[in-house]
Amino acid sequence: MANTQIFNLEGKVALITGASYGIGFAIAKGLAAAGATIVFNDIKQEFVDKGLANYAAEGIDAKGYVCDVTNEDAVNELVAKIEKEVGVIDILVNNAGIIKRIPMIEMKAEEFRQVIDVDLNAPFIVSKAVLPSMIKQRSGKIINICSMMSEFGRETVSAYASAKGGLKMLTRNIASEYGQYNIQCNGIGPGYIATPQTAPLREPQADGSKHPFDSFITDTKTPAGRWGNPEDLAGPAVFLASTASDFVNGQILYVDGGIQAYFGKQPS
C-alpha cells in the first residue's frame, strides 16, 4: 500500500501570495485539503474580502492580509504578523503576478519595470523574508510559480518572459544557497491555464468561431488538446510542499499538457 502520509501537510502554515482567486486559490485549496493552514495576501482589502468569501464557501478557514509584495518593508511586517498570529511559515508559494501583452517596441520602460517588480522582485522579497525562520527550524518549502515563458519567447510578452526566466534562475539559486538547511525551492511552470488572465485569448470571434490563439493551443500545440484548469496545479503543489519532495530541489515542474515535449501537429 502506498504511503500517502508523505503528502500530509497537517500542522504546516502555507502562505500563498495573491491567492484570492485563480491559480493561487486553486493551489491553496489543494494545500488545505492536505491539511495545511492557509494564509494569503492581496494588494487591496476588497480583494482580500472576496478571497475570504471564496475560501469560506469552500469550508476553508483562511487568513487574509493586505500587502503589496513589491514593498519590502510591508512584506517584512506581513511575515512578522503571520508568525505572531498564525505561526512560522513552512510553505511559501510565490504566486502573485501580472502580465502586459505589449509589443516590445511599444512598451514603455516603466511598464517593463512594473512586470519585473511584481513577477521577479516580489518573489525575491517574500522569499528573503521567510527564509530566516526556515533556516532556524531547518526546514521549509518555497514554490515559485514560473511559466512556460521561463523557457520560451513569444510575441508581446518581453517583460513577462524576462521576469519568469529570471524567476527560474532565482529558484535554482535559492536551492543552491539554502538546500543545506533542508529547504527546498522549486517552481511550477503552468501551461496555458483557463484563468481571468488568459480570458482574452479564449474569447470567441465576432462570427462565433474560436479565437485563433485558442485554436492554436487546443488543436495544434497541446497533446492534451485542451487548456489547463487551475485545479490541475493543486497536485503538483502538494507534492512540492510535502516531504515527498524532500530530495527535489531547484527544479521546475512544467504542468503544460505536454506542450514542451511536443514539436507541434503536422500540417495536413
Side-chain angles (χ1 to χ4, degrees):
M1 182 178 293
N3 177 20
T4 58
Q5 281 301 110
I6 61 175
F7 300 104
N8 190 329
L9 301 179
E10 289 182 11
K12 303 295 184 181
V13 175
L15 168 61
I16 305 94
T17 66
S20 298
Y21 65 94
I23 287 174
F25 180 66
I27 286 174
K29 286 196 298 179
L31 298 181
T37 297
I38 302 301
V39 180
F40 73 99
N41 82 289
D42 219 313
I43 197 167
K44 293 181 180 179
Q45 186 64 53
E46 62 183 285
F47 299 150
V48 171
D49 291 341
K50 289 180 181 178
L52 288 171
N54 290 337
Y55 284 106
E58 296 287 340
I60 299 170
D61 183 19
K63 309 296 182 185
Y65 297 85
V66 177
C67 182
D68 177 356
V69 288
T70 68
N71 183 320
E72 187 168 13
D73 290 338
V75 168
N76 289 336
E77 290 176 8
L78 170 68
V79 170
K81 192 170 186 179
I82 293 170
E83 290 188 351
K84 180 179 179 181
E85 297 180 356
V86 185
V88 170
I89 296 165
D90 303 287
I91 302 159
L92 167 64
V93 182
N94 281 311
N95 166 75
I98 61 171
I99 189 170
K100 292 181 181 292
R101 295 185 178 91
I102 305 171
M104 182 174 170
I105 61 173
E106 297 175 15
M107 187 174 227
K108 298 177 182 177
E110 179 182 356
E111 293 172 319
F112 187 93
R113 290 190 190 101
Q114 184 184 8
V115 175
I116 297 295
D117 207 21
V118 177
D119 293 358
L120 180 55
N121 288 342
F124 164 78
I125 290 169
V126 185
S127 298
K128 180 183 172 186
V130 305
L131 275 166
S133 291
M134 289 182 174
I135 291 170
K136 186 175 181 179
Q137 68 181 12
R138 298 192 71 82
S139 68
K141 302 283 187 174
I142 297 176
I143 303 170
N144 291 324
I145 304 303
C146 296
S147 167
M148 288 192 303
M149 297 304 108
S150 296
E151 302 290 344
F152 300 142
R154 189 170 63 76
E155 300 87 349
T156 77
V157 293
S158 59
Y160 185 78
S162 298
K164 293 300 186 177
L167 186 57
K168 175 184 71 174
M169 294 311 301
L170 178 63
T171 299
R172 292 176 175 175
N173 204 79
I174 292 173
S176 299
E177 283 199 62
Y178 300 105
Q180 63 182 308
Y181 300 103
N182 190 34
I183 294 168
Q184 292 82 48
C185 181
N186 293 289
I188 292 176
Y192 284 93
I193 308 296
T195 66
Q197 195 177 60
T198 60
L201 303 176
R202 290 177 283 110
E203 290 179 356
Q205 301 296 282
D207 62 2
S209 62
K210 289 175 69 173
H211 190 293
F213 193 85
D214 189 1
S215 295
F216 171 68
I217 292 301
T218 59
D219 303 339
T220 303
K221 196 60 184 167
T222 310
R226 66 174 177 88
W227 288 71
N229 298 309
E231 290 72 22
D232 289 321
L233 302 167
V238 170
F239 165 65
L240 292 177
S242 71
T243 59
S245 62
D246 277 357
F247 205 56
V248 178
N249 214 354
Q251 304 300 310
I252 312 299
L253 174 54
Y254 289 99
V255 186
D256 63 1
I259 287 178
Q260 292 206 71
Y262 190 43
F263 187 70
K265 184 172 291 186
Q266 181 175 312
S268 56

